[in-house]
Amino acid sequence: MRPAIQSTAAPLSLEASVKYLSLSMIFVAFVFAVTDSAAWYVGLSTLSMIVWVLWHRPQWQHFGALGGVANALTGFRWLAIATLCGFCLWIHPYAIFVLGILVLIADGFDGYYARKYQTTSAFGDVFDKETDAFFVLTYGVIIVELDLAESWVMLPGLLRYLYVIVLSYVDKPPSPTGKSFRRQFVGMWMMGTLLAPFVVGPIVYIPGLAVAIIMILYSFTLDFYSSWTSTE
């Protein structure tokens, strides 16, 4: 994860664009549910991310042609996730599990390089979060594509995008700040249960995924309640 940026308030244009990106990803997930085509999912989600990144070109070009080492690494993680989804039918489940672990490990390196080269920014922080959200939704898509579970497994990824959209309509909604053991635990459980279907049987991962959805709903409800009451 990226370190906390110096200014916790992202520019309004960045906040607005994240809402539209979230709407786009919900539409992409709907297209996948209708077509059952990972190719459509990868193509449309890639187009959505390219548009979003180009929208904020001045913010990341400040650190170089590729946005600096940290942003480039985040972009590489995003592309790795998309590529993995596109070829999931031809990749052994164990390899999908291992590659997922490697992507999660790489998540810590962009933060390290952002600190090392002093390139922390509002864009980089949001880009990192959007890549994490893309990982969650995409692994749900891969699970469905491999017939390991039904479309309900995509709900954890969709909830995050719905949460962003709902918060955008709350008067000056503050984002959760600081470390939270609850959010960290729920995040770790969710990542673990999304990787589990590739190495264990449904008798283990189906209950785990169901519990993950319940915990995510509970966590988002608490965060939303906190955001709502803090604006009163």
Side-chain angles (χ1 to χ4, degrees), residues 13 34 63:
S13 61
V34 172
F63 301 113

Side-chain angles (χ1 to χ4, degrees), residues 139-158:
Y139 258 72
V141 168
I142 294 173
I143 291 171
V144 175
E145 186 74 354
L146 296 180
D147 294 324
L148 298 174
E150 299 299 325
S151 296
W152 61 267
V153 77
M154 296 163 57
L155 185 58
L158 292 173

Side-chain angles (χ1 to χ4, degrees), residues 165-188:
I165 294 169
V166 171
L167 276 189
S168 69
Y169 291 101
V170 179
D171 184 29
K172 297 181 180 179
S175 299
T177 57
K179 291 184 178 181
S180 166
F181 174 78
R182 167 177 52 83
R183 287 195 294 271
Q184 289 178 334
F185 178 80
V186 171
M188 291 176 61

Side-chain angles (χ1 to χ4, degrees), residues 5 19 23 33 43 54 60 89 104 118 131 142 149 156 188 193 230:
I5 55 178
K19 180 180 72 172
L23 286 168
L54 292 179
W60 54 263
L89 292 175
L104 293 176
Q118 298 181 344
T131 301
I142 294 173
M188 291 176 61
T193 53
S230 65

